[in-house]
């Protein structure tokens, strides 16, 4: 099926079947990716030690910051492409593809250069101690050298989904994950290259997957393909990409700031081991949240296309199905986390102190996690239809407006437990903010169905 036929089906096929068609590959890919991260961290924790897990936790803000710039381009471009396909403006959609390539190369190089120059001061600011700094430095040096590849890989995967090729995006991710696992075993376990070997495995596998993605997008038989004349940056296209991409950018940037602050709070109230426990608990959260991200990725082209085509009933049907499925998935994950936190922690380390601290952290962090699914889906929904201000506010509410003040105040009374409690309280608070905004938007759209509604 070519891109044009796949795009047309976004406005005609039953929404439930479409959501399965687009979300299932994304869920499989994202879940496989999160499982790789689990294997990666488990291998480092078992083979290198508990300090290495803490050092890896220090790199989370860096990874989030890199992801913020990548999301600003990848998500912004893919959303614009989906809308243009819904409007049947194929020429503009193809120029958006070319501008995505150019922006990823430029931003990826600048981020790499600046970060490498100031690497040690940045890592210390992120919460690295004399013990964890060498591990964090070794990992991030390799990751940053391959930063342009990482940005391009994720950007092209987003474009493939928007262009009606969710399975190809899934295949690229599955290949990356499989290659990663093989290379991690080779580099970390067999060759004993430590944490640097894990980073090298990541960049190598992404590079190979990117070659395959570029081959697909270079096929002239496709509606959207790479060709001369589409790479020169156009102001209007760049503005459109960034205006939509600013929401996921700020969301990832907030995640970066939050992890920096949280790392420092965990060091302050629990030492390096508490940072290691946070790293483990965060890994568990991300495994579950990857399901929601997969649902969001599946929802994005459907909502974007039908919003562009003014088929609002289909758009909302997709939203409700995504919310219901995401909530059910997180509820199942919440149950497992509440029942088996010790067993989960043992996957990452054999250190008794770290196991106990991680198990308690998992339970406290996950107290109300099942409400996060609907909040994340609704936030992504507003992003998909171009309501950038609303999406930004909802993103900030969970990660910045609520969490940082709570993480500062609660530990003053509850100590280390207060840092953990701040996360679940902010999760519920942001959920409470999200529902009224969606209700208001639906009310206004119902009152004037044939106009562009702004909040």
């Amino acid at each position: 099926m070519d891109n044009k036929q796949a795009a047309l089906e976004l406005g005609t096929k039953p929404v439930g079947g479409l959501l399965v068609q687009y979300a299932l590959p994304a869920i499989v890919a994202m879940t496989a990716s999160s499982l790789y991260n689990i294997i990666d961290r488990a291998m480092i924790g078992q083979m290198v030690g508990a300090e290495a897990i803490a050092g890896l936790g220090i790199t989370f803000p860096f990874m989030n910051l890199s992801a913020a710039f990548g999301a600003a381009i990848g998500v912004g471009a893919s959303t614009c492409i989906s809308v243009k396909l819904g409007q049947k403006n194929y020429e503009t959609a193809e120029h958006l593809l070319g501008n995505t390539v150019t922006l990823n190369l430029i931003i990826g190089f600048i981020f790499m250069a600046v970060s490498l120059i100031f690497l040690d001061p940045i890592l210390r600011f992120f919460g690295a101690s004399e013990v964890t700094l060498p591990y964090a430095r070794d990992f991030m040096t390799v990751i940053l050298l391959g930063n342009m590849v990482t940005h391009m890989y994720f950007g092209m995967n987003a474009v493939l989904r928007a262009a009606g090729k969710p399975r190809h995006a899934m295949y690229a991710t599955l290949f990356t994950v499989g290659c990663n696992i093989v290379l991690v075993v080779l580099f970390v376990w067999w060759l004993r290259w430590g944490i640097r070997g894990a980073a090298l495995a990541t960049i190598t596998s992404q590079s190979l997957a990117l070659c395959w993605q570029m081959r697909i997008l270079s096929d002239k038989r496709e509606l959207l393909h790479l060709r001369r004349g589409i790479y020169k940056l156009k102001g209007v296209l760049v503005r459109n990409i960034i205006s939509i991409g600013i929401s996921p950018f700020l969301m990832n940037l907030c995640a970066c700031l939050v992890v920096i602050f949280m790392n420092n709070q965990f060091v302050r109230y629990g030492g390096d081991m508490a940072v290691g426990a946070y790293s483990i608990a965060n890994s568990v959260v991300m495994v579950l949240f990857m399901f929601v991200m997969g649902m969001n990725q599946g929802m994005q082209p459907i909502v974007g296309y039908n919003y562009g085509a003014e088929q609002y009933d289909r758009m909302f049907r997709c939203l409700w199905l995504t919310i219901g499925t995401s909530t059910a998935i997180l509820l199942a994950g919440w149950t497992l986390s509440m029942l088996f936190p010790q067993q989960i922690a043992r996957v990452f380390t054999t250190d008794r102190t770290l196991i106990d601290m991680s198990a308690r952290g998992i339970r406290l962090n996950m107290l109300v996690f099942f409400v996060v699914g609907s909040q994340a889906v609704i936030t992504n929904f507003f992003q998909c239809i171009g309501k950038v201000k609303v999406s930004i506010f909802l993103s900030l509410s969970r990660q910045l407006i609520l969490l940082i003040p709570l993480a500062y105040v609660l530990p003053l009374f509850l100590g280390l437990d207060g840092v953990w409690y701040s996360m679940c309280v902010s999760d519920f608070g942001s959920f409470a903010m999200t529902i009224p905004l969606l209700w208001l938007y639906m009310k206004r759209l119902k009152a004037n169905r044939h106009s562009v509604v702004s909040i």
Side-chain angles (χ1 to χ4, degrees):
M1 184 185 301
D2 62 20
N3 293 84
K4 187 172 182 179
Q5 180 61 32
L8 291 173
E9 287 192 347
L10 291 169
T12 57
K13 286 185 66 175
V15 172
L18 274 175
L19 188 59
V20 172
Q21 177 184 335
Y22 277 80
L24 187 59
I27 289 173
V28 171
M30 298 298 288
T31 304
S33 180
S34 65
L35 288 176
Y36 159 71
N37 288 328
I38 291 291
I39 294 171
D40 194 17
R41 285 162 177 76
M43 185 74 69
I44 291 171
Q46 300 287 346
M47 299 297 298
V48 186
E51 292 84 2
I53 283 285
L56 194 62
I58 297 298
T59 69
F60 283 165
F62 237 137
M63 304 295 282
N64 286 333
L65 188 58
S66 177
F69 286 99
I73 307 305
V75 175
S78 63
T79 301
C80 289
I81 288 172
S82 293
V83 173
K84 293 304 177 184
L85 290 175
Q87 297 170 345
K88 298 178 176 58
N89 188 346
Y90 304 125
E91 179 70 17
T92 300
E94 196 162 66
H95 277 85
L96 283 165
L97 169 61
N99 277 224
T100 302
V101 173
T102 304
L103 286 171
N104 272 313
L105 289 175
I106 293 173
I107 293 176
F109 177 79
I110 294 174
F111 184 86
M112 174 194 70
V114 173
S115 298
L116 285 173
I117 291 171
F118 301 103
L119 183 56
D120 275 18
I122 292 173
L123 289 173
R124 290 186 185 279
F125 176 69
F126 287 175
S129 67
E130 293 300 325
V131 174
T132 58
L133 180 62
Y135 296 107
R137 183 198 302 122
D138 285 349
F139 186 81
M140 284 311 305
T141 298
V142 177
I143 292 293
L144 288 170
L145 288 173
N147 190 64
M148 285 189 293
V149 170
T150 300
H151 277 211
M152 190 68 71
Y153 162 72
F154 284 113
M156 293 304 99
N157 242 23
V159 169
L160 285 172
R161 284 189 296 271
K165 292 186 174 294
R167 289 188 179 181
H168 290 75
M170 177 187 71
Y171 296 151
T173 304
L174 289 177
F175 170 81
T176 305
V177 170
C179 187
N180 256 325
I181 292 172
V182 172
L183 292 178
V184 162
V185 173
L186 175 63
F187 295 161
V188 179
W189 182 74
W190 184 260
L191 297 177
R192 305 284 173 160
W193 287 355
I195 200 168
R196 185 171 291 185
L200 183 60
T202 298
I203 297 301
T204 303
S205 58
Q206 288 177 351
S207 299
L208 294 174
L210 177 61
C211 292
W212 184 69
Q213 291 171 329
M214 300 303 283
R215 180 182 176 184
I216 294 173
L217 292 170
S218 299
D219 189 344
K220 295 181 180 181
R221 295 172 296 179
E222 299 289 348
L223 179 65
L224 295 181
H225 64 271
L226 299 170
R227 60 176 176 83
R228 291 183 179 180
I230 64 173
Y231 303 104
K232 184 178 179 180
L233 294 180
K234 294 187 175 182
V236 64
L237 298 185
V238 172
R239 285 193 296 272
N240 287 339
I241 290 171
I242 294 176
S243 67
I244 293 176
I246 193 67
S247 176
F249 171 81
L250 289 176
M251 186 163 57
N252 282 281
L253 181 61
C254 284
C256 171
L257 296 175
V258 165
V259 175
I260 293 170
F261 182 78
M262 298 298 278
N263 277 341
N264 281 281
Q265 288 294 86
F266 277 114
V267 168
R268 179 180 178 183
Y269 289 98
D272 287 336
M273 279 296 180
V275 177
Y278 178 47
S279 175
I280 291 172
N282 216 19
S283 296
V284 176
V285 166
M286 287 310 299
V287 168
L288 298 174
F289 199 68
M290 286 295 179
F291 286 96
V292 179
M293 291 177 66
M295 293 298 300
N296 277 340
Q297 289 179 5
M299 179 183 77
Q300 181 266 320
I302 303 170
V303 167
Y305 184 100
N306 285 284
Y307 179 75
E310 297 186 0
Q311 299 186 102
Y312 300 126
D313 289 340
R314 291 175 57 82
M315 177 182 74
F316 280 117
R317 200 175 307 135
C318 182
L319 172 65
W320 301 131
L321 285 171
T322 307
I323 288 174
T325 306
S326 298
T327 301
I329 290 170
L330 291 191
L331 190 57
W334 173 85
T335 303
L336 292 174
S337 298
M338 292 295 107
L339 293 176
F340 308 109
Q342 290 273 344
Q343 291 84 344
I344 293 172
R346 287 195 190 99
V347 172
F348 296 89
T349 182
T350 57
D351 187 284
R352 186 72 253 175
T353 301
L354 185 54
I355 289 172
D356 291 340
M357 193 175 289
S358 300
R360 180 165 179 77
I362 289 170
R363 275 185 168 162
L364 295 180
N365 190 18
M366 297 282 292
L367 279 177
V368 297
F369 192 66
F370 49 86
V371 305
V372 173
S374 55
Q375 197 273 347
V377 171
I378 295 169
T379 300
N380 184 67
F381 168 76
F382 282 116
Q383 172 189 302
C384 290
I385 61 175
K387 307 303 179 193
V388 178
K389 292 181 180 179
V390 182
S391 181
I392 291 173
F393 170 75
L394 293 176
S395 299
L396 293 177
S397 69
R398 176 172 176 246
Q399 298 190 76
L400 193 65
I401 297 173
L402 294 175
L403 180 55
I404 288 184
L406 286 167
Y408 178 79
V409 173
L410 292 182
L412 298 176
F413 303 96
L414 302 174
L416 181 59
D417 280 355
V419 186
W420 293 112
Y421 277 122
S422 65
M423 291 183 275
C424 61
V425 174
S426 66
D427 285 344
F428 189 80
S430 61
F431 165 75
M433 292 180 183
T434 301
I435 303 303
L437 286 175
L438 178 63
W439 178 83
L440 179 61
Y441 174 78
M442 292 177 62
K443 183 179 178 180
R444 292 187 177 182
L445 185 62
K446 186 176 181 179
N448 191 3
R449 293 178 62 87
H450 300 294
S451 64
V452 177
V453 181
S454 300
I455 293 181

